[in-house]
Amino acid sequence: SMTTKDLIDLSKLTNGRISDRTVFIDFVALCAMAISCAVDCVHADERRKGIAEILTRYQLKERSQLFTGLRDLTDAVKTDIEQQQWEDRLGNAFQKLGMSGKDGIDFTPPDLTRLMARITMGATPSLPPEGYFTVTDPTCGSGITLLAAAEQLADAGYNPCQHLVMQAADLNRTCAHMAYVNLSLYGIPAVVIHGNTLTMEEYSRWYTPAYVLGNWIWRCPLPYGSSRNRSDELLKMATDPMYAAIRRLQALELGSAS
């Protein structure tokens, strides 16, 4: 099992050649990109390049340690799920490394997030007519508030993988990566956005495996703002050949009309 201490120890793997905080930031980005590459064909090439760029900074043994860390984190979350626990190891390590409090980043304590979830969703939430709950967090941090909401629904007897879809956003890139890794490993359908909620500017978009594999792009697209999202449209084309053909025809018609 991977504890918060294990994550902090992993951050020291270069023995000071690269700062602990930078190693942690790289590790979280590596985890996010590796998970994304496995399910998201829209962004896979870009994220493979991101992985390669991160790895250039590390020696062969160190690279192995980073990927072992992802495996250990996955195993720890698997145990959590079996025991019906929802733990934010990444956010805990982020704070222990002294990275919270910088640039206005301040995480909500776990007990308070659970209280907020109970107040917001109620002790016995009833399923909406569409058959699932939609939860959004425009300043998600490491995703701890969203994990608390998933925990609340699970305690009420719902399967978060089937009855829940989330949109998370954060201005801090590492926070977006942490939220994406957490929601991905806990099997929650979600779209995580690295973006500015005030200006609605989106820098990158991350689909969790449960979101892609559960075909949520059709059931519940989650644009950032009011307009359609280009990545969403590309993901639809990738999952439905007929839709792709129709979109190609529309593009040809638009081209011939101009």
Side-chain angles (χ1 to χ4, degrees):
S1 177
M2 173 165 270
T3 64
T4 298
K5 182 181 180 302
D6 293 330
L7 282 167
I8 293 169
D9 288 345
L10 180 65
S11 300
K12 302 178 187 296
L13 64 84
T14 69
N15 294 314
R17 190 184 79 253
I18 301 173
S19 75
D20 298 358
R21 293 180 183 185
T22 300
V23 173
F24 181 80
I25 287 168
D26 283 347
F27 171 68
V28 174
L30 188 71
C31 291
M33 291 175 187
I35 293 167
S36 177
C37 282
V39 294
D40 180 359
C41 60
V42 174
H43 301 111
D45 287 346
E46 161 198 334
R47 284 167 192 167
R48 285 192 196 100
K49 290 176 185 173
I51 290 171
E53 192 272 327
I54 288 171
L55 293 179
T56 58
R57 297 194 281 276
Y58 295 89
Q59 298 166 3
L60 194 60
K61 183 180 178 182
E62 294 165 350
R63 296 177 190 180
S64 177
Q65 288 175 273
L66 290 170
F67 283 110
T68 298
L70 172 55
R71 185 198 66 199
D72 291 345
L73 180 62
T74 304
D75 288 345
V77 171
K78 180 184 174 186
T79 302
D80 285 349
I81 292 169
E82 289 169 352
Q83 297 176 355
Q84 293 189 313
Q85 295 176 342
W86 304 76
E87 186 176 345
D88 175 22
R89 291 175 177 79
L90 294 174
N92 288 340
F94 186 86
Q95 293 180 87
K96 294 282 187 184
L97 287 165
M99 298 169 77
S100 60
K102 294 168 66 67
D103 303 318
I105 300 169
D106 192 13
F107 289 174
T108 309
D111 289 345
L112 184 54
T113 62
R114 290 188 175 96
L115 176 61
M116 289 163 59
R118 283 197 294 272
I119 292 170
T120 304
M121 312 195 79
T124 55
S126 55
L127 201 64
E130 58 268 27
Y132 56 85
F133 298 89
T134 305
V135 178
T136 62
D137 188 344
T139 53
C140 64
S142 57
I144 189 167
T145 303
L146 296 170
L147 289 179
E151 181 180 50
Q152 177 73 4
L153 286 182
D155 288 348
Y158 296 105
N159 182 346
C161 186
Q162 294 178 321
H163 300 127
L164 177 63
V165 63
M166 293 181 159
Q167 184 185 71
D170 206 283
L171 181 59
N172 181 279
R173 182 171 176 262
T174 299
C175 284
H177 288 162
M178 287 191 291
Y180 176 72
V181 173
N182 273 330
L183 295 174
S184 292
L185 294 184
Y186 279 102
I188 299 169
V191 176
V192 179
I193 294 146
H194 173 215
N196 187 328
T197 302
L198 295 178
T199 62
M200 300 310 291
E201 186 177 2
E202 181 176 317
Y203 310 126
S204 63
R205 172 168 287 245
W206 302 76
Y207 305 108
T208 65
Y211 186 87
V212 176
L213 300 175
N215 221 21
W216 286 92
I217 189 60
W218 291 100
R219 296 174 65 189
C220 187
L222 293 164
Y224 198 49
S226 57
S227 59
R228 277 184 174 184
N229 181 273
R230 182 175 182 273
S231 294
D232 283 358
E233 294 302 304
L234 291 172
L235 185 59
K236 286 179 179 177
M237 290 182 201
T239 56
D240 189 326
M242 183 59 71
Y243 183 75
I246 292 168
R247 295 291 284 174
R248 278 197 294 270
L249 283 172
Q250 288 175 339
L252 287 171
E253 288 170 4
L254 287 171
S256 61
S258 59

